[in-house]
Amino acid sequence: MESNTNENETLALPPLKKRHERKSFATQTLKMIASRLQYYRKILSEPESDNPKKMKQRERIQKKYDHCMKVRKLLNRAAANRYI
């Protein structure tokens, strides 16, 4: 009889965490994206150069920036929907 009650106690789910304590797969990814976006904004805020090499680099950074913004929006939406 005692072993049966011990099994039930071990199978119980842990209490739910409060909203601000929850973390998801998106938490670390969003931190990395925020860091990248900070770098991209720094590069894009610099005045444009006439150097063709710099112009190509700027276009490449702009594409990466746009992509990261889309991913960030999707992850934020997913995280918000997960915890409602």
Side-chain angles (χ1 to χ4, degrees):
M1 214 48 169
E2 288 178 25
S3 64
N4 197 11
T5 57
N6 289 340
E7 288 177 19
N8 290 340
E9 289 175 7
T10 58
L11 296 177
L13 295 174
L16 293 176
K17 293 183 178 181
K18 295 180 183 174
R19 186 179 180 102
H20 69 279
E21 295 175 337
R22 297 177 186 164
K23 290 191 177 185
S24 69
F25 68 95
T27 307
Q28 286 289 50
T29 309
L30 285 169
K31 285 182 181 179
M32 289 186 333
I33 288 174
S35 176
R36 287 185 198 145
L37 286 173
Q38 184 180 16
Y39 170 72
Y40 297 155
R41 285 187 190 115
K42 177 185 168 192
I43 298 296
L44 294 172
S45 67
E46 294 175 357
E48 291 187 31
S49 173
D50 292 337
N51 185 351
K53 191 173 184 179
K54 289 277 187 177
M55 290 174 68
K56 283 185 180 182
Q57 180 189 12
R58 187 178 180 85
E59 290 173 11
R60 194 171 60 243
I61 297 284
Q62 183 65 46
K63 285 181 185 177
K64 289 180 180 181
Y65 177 80
D66 293 338
H67 174 74
C68 283
M69 289 299 286
K70 287 179 186 177
V71 171
R72 186 180 78 161
K73 184 177 179 181
L74 290 171
L75 286 174
N76 279 331
R77 199 180 309 163
N81 288 336
R82 182 173 178 224
Y83 298 132
I84 290 179

